[in-house]
């Protein structure tokens, strides 16, 4: 079984990204042939700085490797290093009905939020379809927000197969992680870079403690009992502690006598500990100049070998080859 997904390089990783997107993918390693790429061409639809883009790509690659992406097991590359993504995309645009694209919710939302609509943003789902179809992927693990893009991918593959012959493209299945909870940020809203409420996983110790201490709490005095069921501190602690430890914190909330600072310190320690091995790994990666590029080059080589075969098959079917 071939499992494939793309991750947009969008800067520093926070706890929400880790539990919502990264960990579910890394957990699939070993369960099939895993393909993970940095969707740098997609990121270009909302970028305006070459230096910023370069930095984001590098950070994302380092962080994913530090988090446990194993380049021995998993083919890991940059989308822009494999021309087939763009070449297949163009081919797909020629069977994609305008009406289908005009129904894309993610695009409409972006425009409503005041993001200038470029054509890249509009055709984003077709590039995503090419990403997936180029590798004959069986399963695509993504968040709920990507469900429609996966449906479109199947629709486009069906169009190609109807026009040019069954079996030209393989229909993938989405693996939507419905059960992945939304990780709350410092202010209790969804943790997101755009809200400035994140806890980043590779912060230094002092900065991390400071960030955790900023979690918004109510003004219940130290002695008074506190409600664990509405507390962001408890919600975050759940991600790092055993059920027994969470229960103990909840009991201590209800008992009163301990201030929020105490619980935040406990949370801080749990977070710091949780990412310790990944921090060490990150330092190791940083100390090996050239390592990241080597990994991505080798990944691109492996990816190209697969994608080239698909493009050849599609171009034969449509009459551009053979
Ligand atoms: P941000 O909102 O910080 O800009 P992105 O939109 O770049 O984050 O998200 C990248 C991935 O991380 C997506 O797959 C998204 O579903 C996941 N993710 C982001 N924030 C959270 C969160 N608070 N809880 C769970 N998953 C999240
Ligand atoms: N659109 C996806 C996101 O924002 C990223 C992505 C690009 C992707 N190409 C993909 C995900 C192919 C899965 C498969 O998260």
């Amino acid at each position: 079984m071939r499992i494939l997904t793309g991750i947009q390089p969008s800067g520093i990783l926070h706890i929400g990204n880790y539990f919502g997107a990264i960990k579910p993918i890394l957990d699939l390693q070993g369960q099939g042939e895993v393909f993970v790429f940095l969707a740098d061409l997609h990121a270009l639809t909302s970028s305006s700085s070459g230096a910023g883009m370069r930095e984001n790509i590098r950070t994302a690659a380092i962080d994913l490797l530090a988090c446990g992406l194993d380049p021995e097991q998993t083919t890991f590359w940059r989308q822009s290093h494999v021309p087939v993504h763009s070449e297949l995309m163009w081919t797909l645009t020629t069977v994609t009905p305008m009406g289908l694209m005009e129904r894309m919710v993610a695009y409409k939302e972006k425009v409503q939020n005041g993001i200038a609509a470029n054509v890249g943003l509009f055709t984003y789902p077709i590039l995503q379809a090419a990403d997936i179809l180029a590798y004959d992927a069986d399963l695509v693990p993504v968040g709920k927000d990507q469900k429609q893009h996966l449906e479109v991918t199947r629709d486009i593959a069906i169009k190609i197969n109807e026009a040019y012959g069954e079996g030209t493209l393989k229909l993938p299945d989405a693996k939507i992680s419905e059960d992945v909870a939304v990780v709350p940020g410092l202010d209790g809203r969804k943790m997101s870079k755009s809200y400035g409420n994140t806890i980043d996983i590779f912060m230094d110790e002092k900065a991390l403690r400071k960030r955790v201490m900023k979690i918004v709490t109510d003004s219940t005095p130290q002695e008074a009992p506190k409600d664990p069921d509405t507390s962001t501190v408890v919600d975050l602690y759940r991600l790092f502690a055993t059920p027994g430890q969470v229960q103990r914190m909840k009991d201590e909330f209800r008992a009163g006598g301990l201030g929020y600072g105490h619980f935040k310190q406990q949370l801080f320690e749990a977070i710091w500990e949780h990412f310790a091995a990944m921090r060490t790994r990150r330092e190791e990666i940083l100390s090996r100049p050239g390592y990241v590029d080597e990994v991505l080059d080798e990944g691109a080589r492996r990816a190209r070998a697969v994608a080239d075969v698909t493009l050849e098959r599609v171009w034969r079917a449509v009459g551009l080859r053979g």
Side-chain angles (χ1 to χ4, degrees):
M1 172 156 73
R2 187 168 289 157
I3 302 166
L4 173 140
T5 201
I7 297 173
Q8 282 208 46
S10 58
I12 290 164
L13 276 190
H14 56 69
I15 289 174
N17 300 143
Y18 179 74
F19 286 101
I22 311 299
K23 187 169 182 297
I25 294 165
L26 298 183
D27 288 347
L28 291 169
Q29 291 187 122
Q31 292 187 34
E33 220 186 325
V34 181
F35 282 63
V36 176
F37 65 92
L38 293 175
D40 52 4
L41 296 174
H42 277 113
L44 207 50
T45 60
S46 44
S47 173
S48 54
S49 143
M53 174 64 82
R54 251 185 295 277
E55 177 65 25
N56 280 350
I57 292 169
R58 194 171 161 69
T59 307
I62 293 170
D63 289 357
L64 283 163
L65 291 166
C67 285
L69 189 148
D70 173 6
E72 299 286 323
Q73 283 191 62
T74 296
T75 304
F76 180 45
W77 75 103
R78 288 172 56 172
Q79 189 184 28
S80 65
H81 283 182
V82 178
V84 170
H85 293 257
S86 308
E87 291 166 324
L88 182 60
M89 179 202 168
W90 177 258
T91 314
L92 301 182
T93 63
T94 64
V95 300
T96 307
M98 274 303 280
L100 189 64
M101 285 300 100
E102 278 161 357
R103 287 198 294 276
M104 292 296 102
V105 175
Y107 171 78
K108 282 195 232 172
E109 268 174 18
K110 284 184 179 149
V111 173
Q112 267 163 15
N113 289 332
I115 294 175
N118 58 57
V119 175
L121 208 53
F122 184 68
T123 55
Y124 181 117
I126 313 179
L127 178 59
Q128 184 161 350
D131 297 338
I132 296 167
L133 299 172
Y135 296 90
D136 293 332
D138 297 295
L139 210 60
V140 184
V142 283
K144 273 176 248 179
D145 60 324
Q146 296 295 313
K147 197 167 172 221
Q148 197 182 29
H149 290 165
L150 265 293
E151 287 162 6
V152 163
T153 300
R154 291 175 61 94
D155 289 344
I156 293 175
I158 290 169
K159 285 262 176 218
I160 288 273
N161 289 347
E162 278 174 359
Y164 298 109
E166 285 309 315
T168 307
L169 287 171
K170 177 168 183 7
L171 268 60
D173 285 311
K175 184 180 187 320
I176 311 281
S177 31
E178 303 282 357
D179 53 339
V180 172
V182 171
V183 176
L186 301 180
D187 54 2
R189 289 189 292 172
K190 172 184 185 266
M191 186 178 289
S192 171
K193 279 184 288 289
S194 41
Y195 295 149
N197 63 356
T198 63
I199 300 175
D200 305 334
I201 70 177
F202 292 120
M203 277 182 153
D204 68 41
E205 189 169 0
K206 213 170 137 198
L208 179 66
R209 185 182 292 108
K210 218 168 138 186
R211 210 49 97 79
V212 172
M213 292 301 157
K214 281 204 177 131
I215 294 173
V216 177
T217 47
D218 59 29
S219 53
T220 315
Q222 181 168 330
E223 325 73 67
K226 300 168 184 67
D227 182 4
D229 297 326
T230 55
S231 169
T232 306
V233 178
V234 178
D235 280 345
L236 287 171
Y237 191 59
R238 257 185 249 285
L239 297 167
F240 304 98
T242 63
Q245 289 170 319
V246 175
Q247 192 54 49
R248 203 172 70 220
M249 183 180 276
K250 288 170 92 174
D251 292 344
E252 288 174 350
F253 258 68
R254 293 198 183 94
L258 291 167
Y260 284 118
H262 169 85
F263 298 116
K264 288 179 182 176
Q265 175 65 25
Q266 253 177 288
L267 172 63
F268 157 73
E269 283 166 16
I271 298 176
W272 184 249
E273 182 57 30
H274 189 89
F275 294 111
M278 296 178 206
R279 266 194 311 275
T280 307
R281 173 102 189 98
R282 193 164 184 277
E283 289 307 317
E284 273 169 29
I285 293 168
L286 290 173
S287 73
R288 290 171 66 183
Y291 173 73
V292 175
D293 288 338
E294 271 167 40
V295 166
L296 291 169
D297 287 348
E298 169 59 17
R301 203 184 55 71
R302 271 152 55 185
R304 223 176 282 131
V306 177
D308 282 349
V309 173
T310 312
L311 188 70
E312 179 68 21
R313 189 175 73 226
V314 174
W315 277 4
R316 272 180 187 279
V318 303
L320 292 176
R321 291 287 181 277

